[in-house]
Amino acid sequence: QVQLQESGPGLVKPSETLSLTCTVSGGSISSYYWSWIRQPAGKGLEWIGRIYTSGSTNYNPSLKSRVTMSVDTSKNQFSLKLSSVTAADTAVYYCARASTAMASFDYWGQGTLVTVSS
Amino acid sequence: VIWMTQSPSLLSASTGDRVTISCRMSQGISSYLAWYQQKPGKAPELLIYAASTLQSGVPSRFSGSGSGTDFTLTISCLQSEDFATYYCQQYYSFPRTFGQGTKVEIK
């Protein structure tokens, strides 16, 4: 059974960079598409972007200037960096898998809360 | 960007009821639509993909229909464990987008 686990600091200061890692277990990270999705408290879901195991990426235009994603197949991990954060970036951040380029998200991590505050 | 209008935002129902949730797209997406269920404090779970295909392990009381711009999620006989928030999501184009969510609460 594939499992995803997000990790990273739960508190980030304004203007700094949010960094999260998603570790995939129970299966290979290769040949799948890996996304980051976030959800502010009490609100809906926002897709941040995705990375393929080749390293190719697609980002949400609303965040593109601040987002960088990377993948480390040797560790079965992929990562998110979001720069110049503000309080508006406070949310639960999820990692998720899509099995093909045009597929829904069939596996999700449990989510990790990141709070932006000084 | 494909905008999604999900309705209603809140649905009050009783156990045993048949409920339907609608999702309308700002442009056609063929059948590249998924439905998710989310319970408080948990990650969303995939219920239906390709508009009408039930994800493995999902009870058959859930069904999806539609194509193009109009889609529906139906729960044929609401169970206690179905009280949750439901989201539609398109994966036809970038950025991937989600509906605003429908909270199904106990009447």
Side-chain angles (χ1 to χ4, degrees):
Chain A
Q1 174 78 342
V2 173
Q3 292 186 309
L4 286 69
Q5 178 68 58
E6 305 89 351
S7 60
L11 181 64
V12 182
K13 289 182 168 54
S15 80
E16 295 190 345
T17 296
L18 176 161
S19 296
L20 296 174
T21 295
C22 183
T23 301
V24 179
S25 59
S28 175
I29 197 172
S30 296
S31 304
Y32 292 99
Y33 293 80
W34 303 95
S35 282
W36 289 96
I37 296 157
R38 69 181 183 177
Q39 184 173 38
K43 296 189 177 181
L45 298 158
E46 179 181 32
W47 180 79
I48 299 170
R50 80 171 186 189
I51 187 165
Y52 185 58
T53 47
S54 65
S56 66
T57 55
N58 301 96
Y59 298 145
N60 192 323
S62 69
L63 298 166
K64 186 174 183 177
S65 63
R66 299 194 290 130
V67 172
T68 303
M69 294 183 184
S70 60
V71 61
D72 186 339
T73 55
S74 68
K75 295 182 178 179
N76 249 28
Q77 293 178 335
F78 62 104
S79 298
L80 167 71
K81 291 188 186 298
L82 181 66
S83 64
S84 305
V85 297
T86 69
D89 295 309
T90 295
V92 174
Y93 285 75
Y94 296 101
C95 54
R97 189 191 86 167
S99 57
T100 70
M102 299 283 281
S104 53
F105 303 117
D106 55 357
Y107 288 96
W108 295 65
Q110 64 184 26
T112 188
L113 174 63
V114 178
T115 301
V116 178
S117 175
S118 55
Chain B
V1 180
I2 294 178
W3 300 105
M4 307 171 71
T5 303
Q6 188 175 338
S7 61
S9 56
L10 178 64
L11 194 160
S12 298
S14 302
T15 303
D17 285 353
R18 178 184 180 91
V19 301
T20 60
I21 299 169
S22 171
C23 194
R24 176 165 287 178
M25 309 296 131
S26 60
Q27 64 188 77
I29 62 165
S30 184
S31 295
Y32 293 100
L33 186 100
W35 290 96
Y36 301 87
Q37 177 193 69
Q38 186 178 34
K39 295 182 178 179
K42 300 293 187 181
E45 293 186 358
L46 179 63
L47 296 174
I48 287 169
Y49 61 95
S52 60
T53 303
L54 211 60
Q55 174 71 345
S56 175
V58 174
S60 59
R61 61 181 180 274
F62 290 93
S63 64
S65 64
S67 67
T69 60
D70 292 309
F71 300 85
T72 300
L73 173 69
T74 299
I75 310 173
S76 60
C77 183
L78 202 63
Q79 302 298 301
S80 57
E81 60 267 32
D82 301 336
F83 291 98
T85 300
Y86 294 85
Y87 293 93
C88 54
Q89 180 244 330
Q90 66 82 18
Y91 48 98
Y92 177 78
S93 70
F94 294 109
R96 304 307 197 220
T97 47
F98 293 84
Q100 304 94 316
T102 295
K103 183 177 181 180
V104 178
E105 66 169 21
I106 300 172
K107 191 172 184 179

